[in-house]
Amino acid sequence: MSTFPGPRLGGVALVLGPVLVLAGVLLRLPYPFFFPHQLAASVQHPAQMTAAYSCFLAGQVVLLCAVSTVVRQIAVMQPRWAAWSGALVLVGLAERVFHAGFDQAAMDLARHRGADYATAFVAEAYGDLHLFSFLSFTIMFGWPLLAFAAYRAGVLGRVRSVALAATTVLPLGVLKGTTAWSIVAAVGLCVAFVPSGIRLLTQAQRADRRTVGLACLGAVAVGALSYLSTLG
């Protein structure tokens, strides 16, 4: 019996999620780390910064399926470690999606009202408490715990487990640029997940014509619904 997300969706997510995160990190590389510079860059280079933050956000969403795939593999041998590590990482990914919403709002404010106005707003609001203020530890501790669980369960070897644990050094918070640690974290994520994704895809049973046809129809439907979503 197949379980979510399955070998095809899981395999694609394991490859695509880390690559999107790395692309977002590299696209932000030319601009200084702190939020005033990120907001200024969003006004001066809107296409590049939109691509950077969109890739990073898309990577976090896709990683939800990727991590679910790894957690399912860990659970075969280490169900308790799978549950705890998976919960922490998934909550941490949800927090990064939350941060991305703030990023988008602040950059829109910068483009409509000016970078100085947006910078002043972010500076005043930065310390305000919200639900995820109490859950930032999930971002920092979730990845090393998942890496340890994957190593104990034999899902990842030593090198790839260390690479996965390195994801913890990816800076957290809103409107963060790229540092050397950001690149280390994104590359580590690729080293840990991409080979597993490729292996899942190559081992997956070849899709029949009916499955391919339904997938094409589904893609068209998703595209249409995506367009309709922008109208409201």
Side-chain angles (χ1 to χ4, degrees):
M1 181 177 64
S2 179
T3 55
F4 180 83
R8 293 191 185 91
L9 179 57
V12 170
L14 283 164
V15 174
L16 187 59
V19 170
L20 285 168
V21 172
L22 180 60
V25 164
L26 294 178
L27 284 168
R28 291 191 296 216
L29 183 59
Y31 312 111
F33 177 76
F34 292 107
F35 71 87
H37 306 290
Q38 294 290 299
L39 289 171
S42 72
V43 175
Q44 297 164 4
H45 308 279
Q48 183 173 352
M49 293 301 283
T50 297
Y53 278 84
S54 296
C55 284
F56 189 85
L57 169 58
Q60 304 307 306
V61 174
V62 174
L63 282 174
L64 292 168
C65 287
V67 170
S68 297
T69 300
V70 174
V71 167
R72 182 168 57 85
Q73 294 171 339
I74 295 170
V76 174
M77 298 298 295
Q78 299 286 343
R80 291 186 179 86
W81 283 105
W84 282 102
S85 62
L88 286 178
V89 174
L90 291 175
V91 171
L93 290 172
E95 179 166 358
R96 287 201 183 274
V97 173
F98 173 83
H99 290 160
F102 190 96
D103 294 344
Q104 181 65 50
M107 289 191 293
D108 286 345
L109 191 61
R111 290 164 188 161
H112 289 287
R113 299 292 296 271
D116 291 340
Y117 183 92
T119 298
F121 168 76
V122 173
E124 291 181 10
Y126 203 87
D128 290 353
L129 291 178
H130 49 76
L131 172 62
F132 285 111
S133 298
F134 303 96
L135 296 173
S136 292
F137 71 92
T138 61
I139 295 177
M140 294 181 287
F141 297 116
W143 292 109
L145 192 62
L146 183 68
F148 179 73
Y151 178 72
R152 283 201 61 172
V155 173
L156 296 179
R158 184 175 300 174
V159 172
R160 290 171 61 204
S161 295
V162 172
L164 182 59
T167 307
T168 192
V169 301
L170 186 65
L172 62 91
V174 300
L175 294 167
K176 293 294 192 294
T178 295
T179 67
W181 291 116
S182 307
I183 298 173
V184 168
V187 170
L189 194 59
C190 290
V191 170
F193 278 179
V194 170
S196 295
I198 294 173
R199 185 171 63 252
L200 271 180
L201 291 173
T202 56
Q203 292 176 349
Q205 184 179 3
R206 186 174 179 179
D208 55 29
R209 290 183 179 180
R210 180 174 180 273
T211 301
V212 173
L214 289 174
C216 292
L217 288 174
V220 172
V222 169
L225 290 171
S226 297
Y227 172 73
L228 290 174
S229 297
T230 66
L231 303 179

